[in-house]
Amino acid sequence: MKFHPAVAKSSPTLLGRNQGVLQRKLLASFATISMIFPPTILPRGVAQEAQNTKPSMQDAKVRQRADALLQQMTPEEKAGQLSQLFLFTKPDAAMESRIAKGQLGSLLFVTDPSVINHLQHVAVDQSRLHIPLIFGFDVIHGLRTIFPVPIAMAASWDPDTIERAQAAAAKEARAVGIDWSFAPMVDIARDPRWGRIVEGAGADPYLGSAVAAAQVRGFQGAYIGAPDHIVATAKHFAGYGAAEGGRDYDSVDLSDAQLRNVYLPPFKSAVDAGVGSIMSAYMDLNGVPATGNRWLLHDVLRGEWNFGGFVVSDANAVNDLQTHGFAADKADAAMRAFTAGVNMEMAVTKDAYDNLPAEYKAGKITSEQLDAAVRPILETKIRLGLFENPYVDEARAAQVLGATEQKQESLRAAERSAVLLRNEHALLPLQGSGNKNIAVIGPLADSKRDITGPWVFVNKEQESVSVLEGLKQVAPQGTQLNYSQGVQISRKFPSMFDAIFGGDKTPVWAEAEQKQEFDKAVQTARSADVVVMVLGERQNMDGEAASRSSLELPGRQQELLEAVAATGKPVVLVLMSARPLELRWASKNIPAILDAWYPGTEGGIAIANLLYGKAVPAGKLPYDWPRDVGQVPIFYSHDVTHQPDKQGTRYWNEESTPLFPFGYGLSYTNFQFSNLRISHDQIRRGEGLDVMVDVRNSGTVTADEVAQLYLHQQSGTSSRPVRELKGFHRVTVAPGETKTVHFNIDKADLTYWSAATRSWVQDDTHFDLWVGEDSNASLHGSFAVAP
């Protein structure tokens, strides 16, 4: 299946300060190469826009400019370009000295434009070759304006929405001087106990590949250096999401077939989309740490995929090669990572790559190796226009951050990401005069911090809209809203981010206060016409170092849910979380369930719009929702195996099928799929075919549906999954309207990695094909592939 990126359009950034001084420095530094690439002083991105109508045509000139610099650099200066350090506070004299000596090429976690400008002046004005720094940051789902978390964006099944969101995030980041995002995370996650499921696109390689490409396009624009865009980083290469037991940082053991068919495709998609950077993972992959894995970083990434950007390690991952028992000491760790293919070391304090100059002088590293590692970093800085304009327009930064247009994009994305899991008796949308008194209950109902989710550091919390606040803005005039928190929830072990940045300082309730608040919530529900309960996980319960052994609602939330339901009042459950939570009881006893994820800055308004029908939910699950944690991992695309007719009875105590299948999501209207057409009954190997299906809206409201296409190969070199997603389209259909959706299946969709041959194969065989609303689609067709 082909993905056709839309080229993002944006306006140039404004000119930075002190351009005259910079121009003199640049002219002096690049006198020897001025005929190759004249250093024209232009705003960030404008040089690239003017000169790179076809950016690929400039590759040779960029390479020549980088090589001219390399010829002038000492081994210490080259090693400096391979070093990146954290900076959580203001820089000290030692760090500034290192920058002035050209011994540090990058910093991360600096977000204050004035500090960025100061440090760039140190680099450009004081270092011998005037090479600017590149500043990185975890722009995961927004900077000041926060968008839905990545797993939520994947649930939109809408690459255009994802691209627009990350383009808006990139605009804010570039405005403050951040040139490089440590996103997207494209790890496949099939175990929801793993906390970092929140950062990815879920369990499916096809959906994950589409989301990866959309995020890269959003961050980077049409090319690296496009105005108002930044460099993207696909992480964590590779297999990180398959940690044993869903425990973050634990080892990973994957077959070559799993790696090739499931875990690597989103990375390949990011590379094909032009991603500028790859981040190596922390963990052991089949007994070899990923950050020291030459097969992964060299043979696959550069050899097979022709990746031309640079690899950065995850935080302290090079030093940690000693912890793995892989490297003998810091110097050995540096050599193992360097020779494996890690260009830049990310380190919290002292970095292992400080040892590289000595290793070079000892003859353990050649000048060619050192230059090959440094070159793509210099090329990236050149493409970004940092040599021409390294400084930030601080006045413009203040205007861009949190602008209305960004908030509008955040609202749109949140509305398009929510998944309606249950809606018995059409309880939603809330309409009519019978819903004048609404009880809003739950520990997340009025939380501005939790609605934005994890990986949020630069936003202004007061700008976020909680669910309670959103309902107050959207509910019809005369609606009475009564709020009760009900219970408190917290982690047993503190979050590492709370330790660094400070966590919630709210006092823990005493036992008597807990009972009082619980009883108050039940009484508030008893007095209402309808109850909106906002339950789930606090933002620090998902993310890095936030794995869980259970999928139950934390704390006393399940008890509160059951007590409120016992009042007999209709209950709408709004879930805020990234992972699927235990809903067996709720799926039978709560009439309406909306999975809102962590929807971002405008999340409260988005949820209120969805509850009142001003927006229609159309999101689809990016993973199978288990009934119980004992089913984990569970995914629809399993192999047929023995006795496929008994797949749902593998456990004797309950069904071994998901509570909600992959691709599932309800609407406020009804859709029917019909008239499936396949262009050919038989094709030859290497050929493709077209598929068409009609989608009819038989309801009364205009809404979106996601048409999904699945394939199953009946026989071949290896046994194949029962179904695999191979196409999807999100379409808007008016009441009574029928739309025809087109799919194209190509050779790549019919090819897989076989463990039998240890190679990519396309078999002569027969395929089943289904199209419908989720992975249980029943509209069926077939075709054959012949030699």
Side-chain angles (χ1 to χ4, degrees):
M1 191 68 58
K2 302 291 187 185
F3 300 109
H4 301 287
V7 176
K9 295 181 179 179
S10 55
S11 58
T13 56
L14 297 180
L15 188 58
R17 302 182 303 172
N18 300 320
Q19 63 178 17
V21 174
L22 174 61
Q23 186 172 27
R24 289 192 294 274
K25 295 280 188 181
L26 288 167
L27 289 172
S29 177
F30 292 110
T32 59
I33 56 170
S34 59
M35 295 305 293
I36 297 174
F37 205 121
T40 306
I41 305 299
L42 290 173
R44 284 191 176 187
V46 175
Q48 284 73 19
E49 188 173 54
Q51 298 171 19
N52 292 1
T53 1
K54 294 182 179 179
S56 61
M57 295 177 64
Q58 300 297 323
D59 287 351
K61 291 186 177 180
V62 171
R63 175 63 57 89
Q64 286 176 301
R65 184 173 178 180
D67 284 345
L69 259 180
L70 285 167
Q71 291 173 15
Q72 304 175 63
M73 295 173 73
T74 66
E76 289 76 15
E77 288 169 333
K78 291 175 182 179
Q81 291 300 307
L82 305 182
S83 297
Q84 179 186 66
L85 292 179
F86 282 81
L87 180 59
F88 294 112
T89 57
K90 291 187 177 180
D92 57 19
M95 176 172 282
E96 292 196 17
S97 174
R98 185 169 176 176
I99 294 170
K101 293 176 181 176
Q103 295 175 1
L104 188 62
S106 177
L107 287 167
L108 72 158
F109 255 85
V110 190
T111 59
D112 184 331
S114 64
V115 176
I116 287 175
N117 277 342
H118 170 72
L119 293 171
Q120 284 288 36
H121 273 291
V122 175
V124 174
D125 297 343
Q126 299 180 33
S127 70
R128 188 175 70 91
L129 294 175
H130 318 296
I131 300 174
L133 299 166
I134 183 170
F135 289 90
F137 191 69
D138 287 290
V139 188
I140 307 300
H141 56 113
L143 187 73
R144 168 80 164 270
T145 305
I146 306 303
F147 290 81
V149 291
I151 191 72
M153 297 294 288
S156 74
W157 290 58
D158 184 1
D160 177 66
T161 290
I162 296 166
E163 183 176 341
R164 290 171 57 167
Q166 296 298 35
K171 183 176 182 179
E172 290 193 345
R174 195 73 192 271
V176 303
I178 296 167
D179 313 294
W180 177 21
S181 172
F182 301 123
M185 192 200 87
V186 301
D187 297 305
I188 295 296
R190 290 184 163 180
D191 189 333
R193 295 174 296 179
W194 189 55
R196 300 194 77 166
I197 190 173
V198 66
E199 295 176 59
D204 187 78
Y206 188 91
L207 178 62
S209 296
V211 172
Q215 291 199 70
V216 171
R217 294 195 303 268
F219 280 126
Q220 295 188 172
Y223 52 89
I224 292 176
D228 287 340
H229 288 80
I230 59 180
V231 177
T233 303
K235 65 183 187 184
H236 308 82
F237 198 59
Y240 185 46
E244 292 174 348
R247 297 180 297 270
D248 209 2
Y249 309 144
D250 271 8
S251 298
V252 169
D253 192 2
L254 291 171
S255 69
D256 62 331
Q258 287 177 301
L259 264 174
R260 296 285 191 170
N261 293 320
V262 178
Y263 290 88
L264 291 184
F267 286 97
K268 180 61 163 59
S269 179
V271 169
D272 289 345
V275 71
S277 175
I278 297 287
M279 182 181 290
S280 65
Y282 286 122
M283 79 302 153
D284 280 343
L285 175 63
N286 300 333
V288 180
T291 297
N293 194 318
R294 183 172 172 82
W295 172 80
L296 197 62
L297 300 175
H298 180 272
D299 297 357
V300 174
L301 182 60
R302 293 186 174 90
E304 294 181 25
W305 297 355
N306 296 315
F307 174 65
F310 65 95
V311 174
V312 62
S313 77
D314 208 336
N316 271 6
V318 175
N319 276 317
D320 282 345
L321 294 180
Q322 300 171 83
T323 308
H324 284 280
F326 185 66
D329 53 32
K330 193 181 290 283
D332 187 32
M335 284 296 296
R336 286 175 180 262
F338 179 83
T339 55
V342 175
N343 299 80
M344 182 183 290
E345 179 194 8
M346 180 194 297
V348 176
T349 53
K350 190 70 173 173
D351 44 347
Y353 273 20
D354 284 351
N355 293 279
L356 292 179
E359 300 298 302
Y360 168 76
K361 290 171 183 175
K364 297 179 182 179
I365 299 173
T366 67
S367 59
E368 290 78 13
Q369 286 177 300
L370 199 54
D371 288 356
V374 178
R375 184 177 291 110
I377 296 169
L378 294 177
E379 289 178 343
T380 300
K381 291 181 177 183
I382 292 167
R383 292 184 188 282
L384 284 168
L386 292 177
F387 285 90
E388 286 73 24
N389 183 30
Y391 304 120
V392 179
D393 184 328
E394 296 176 35
R396 182 176 185 271
Q399 295 171 356
V400 170
L401 291 179
T404 300
E405 61 207 58
Q406 268 89 258
K407 290 183 177 179
Q408 290 173 343
E409 284 293 340
S410 174
L411 175 63
R412 178 180 182 272
E415 291 174 347
R416 295 177 73 80
S417 299
V419 181
L420 184 62
L421 298 175
R422 185 171 162 87
N423 194 24
E424 296 301 300
H425 312 300
L427 176 59
L428 294 177
L430 299 173
Q431 295 174 342
S433 58
N435 298 317
K436 288 295 185 180
N437 189 322
I438 298 178
V440 184
I441 295 172
L444 304 177
D446 196 28
S447 174
K448 289 176 170 288
R449 176 62 190 92
D450 291 304
I451 203 160
T452 53
W455 289 107
V456 172
F457 306 112
V458 183
N459 73 317
K460 289 193 174 181
E461 192 171 300
Q462 66 269 25
E463 294 180 353
S464 300
V465 183
S466 71
V467 177
L468 179 62
E469 291 173 333
L471 287 169
K472 288 179 179 178
Q473 292 186 41
V474 174
Q477 189 173 4
T479 302
Q480 183 177 351
L481 297 165
N482 298 301
Y483 163 69
S484 175
Q485 181 176 331
V487 297
Q488 285 184 322
I489 55 176
S490 61
R491 290 173 50 138
K492 180 176 182 179
F493 301 118
S495 161
M496 70 175 187
F497 294 111
D498 290 344
I500 297 172
F501 301 103
D504 186 7
K505 304 297 191 234
T506 304
V508 177
W509 294 341
E511 188 173 342
E513 194 174 7
Q514 291 181 35
K515 183 179 186 307
Q516 180 182 353
E517 291 295 327
F518 191 100
D519 293 344
K520 176 188 173 184
V522 176
Q523 184 56 45
T524 301
R526 191 173 285 118
S527 303
D529 298 322
V530 65
V531 182
V532 175
M533 297 194 73
V534 188
L535 307 180
E537 296 178 302
R538 300 202 63 183
Q539 58 82 24
N540 63 2
M541 296 175 175
D542 286 287
E544 186 169 356
S547 296
R548 291 187 65 190
S549 63
S550 165
L551 299 179
E552 296 175 352
L553 287 164
R556 299 178 63 194
Q557 290 183 99
Q558 181 65 34
E559 183 183 350
L560 179 64
L561 179 63
E562 293 183 21
V564 168
T567 65
K569 297 304 173 72
V571 176
V572 177
L573 173 58
V574 176
L575 284 174
M576 280 172 47
S577 179
R579 54 169 61 91
L581 298 174
E582 167 62 73
L583 290 183
R584 281 181 298 180
W585 185 89
S587 68
K588 297 176 182 177
N589 295 281
I590 302 300
I593 304 175
L594 180 71
D595 190 359
W597 313 97
Y598 299 107
T601 299
E602 300 292 292
I605 297 175
I607 290 170
N609 284 344
L610 289 159
L611 295 182
Y612 276 101
K614 294 187 176 182
V616 180
K620 301 284 187 174
L621 291 178
Y623 47 57
D624 290 89
W625 196 294
R627 301 171 186 273
D628 181 87
V629 72
Q631 291 179 285
V632 170
I634 183 172
F635 46 92
Y636 80 95
S637 54
H638 56 81
D639 287 350
V640 177
T641 72
H642 182 59
Q643 294 185 331
D645 56 317
K646 296 184 178 180
Q647 181 65 39
T649 59
R650 301 293 194 212
Y651 301 119
W652 61 260
N653 60 313
E654 68 176 337
E655 296 91 341
S656 50
T657 54
L659 184 64
F660 303 110
F662 174 81
Y664 174 85
L666 302 175
S667 176
Y668 292 157
T669 189
N670 296 303
F671 294 99
Q672 287 82 41
F673 288 79
S674 64
N675 195 21
L676 177 64
R677 289 95 77 195
I678 302 174
S679 61
H680 297 88
D681 294 330
Q682 180 172 297
I683 58 174
R684 294 185 180 276
R685 268 183 290 171
E687 294 179 342
L689 54 82
D690 297 317
V691 178
M692 291 180 288
V693 68
D694 292 342
V695 181
R696 175 175 171 76
N697 181 349
S698 60
T700 59
V701 297
T702 298
D704 286 5
E705 176 62 299
V706 180
Q708 303 166 39
L709 183 150
Y710 295 85
L711 292 181
H712 166 62
Q713 180 175 310
Q714 294 182 4
S715 61
T717 307
S718 299
S719 58
R720 303 298 298 134
V722 292
R723 293 189 182 194
E724 291 182 290
L725 179 70
K726 292 298 179 182
F728 64 88
H729 291 289
R730 179 165 174 158
V731 293
T732 303
V733 190
E737 183 184 14
T738 298
K739 279 193 174 179
T740 299
V741 179
H742 298 257
F743 299 92
N744 170 257
I745 297 173
D746 61 19
K747 177 183 177 181
D749 299 317
L750 307 177
T751 302
Y752 65 95
W753 179 273
S754 171
T757 63
R758 293 189 178 274
S759 63
W760 295 101
V761 299
Q762 183 182 5
D763 293 311
D764 305 332
T765 185
H766 289 79
F767 282 86
D768 292 301
L769 182 151
W770 297 267
V771 179
E773 67 280 3
D774 59 41
S775 56
N776 288 335
S778 58
L779 190 59
H780 176 262
S782 62
F783 63 92
V785 176

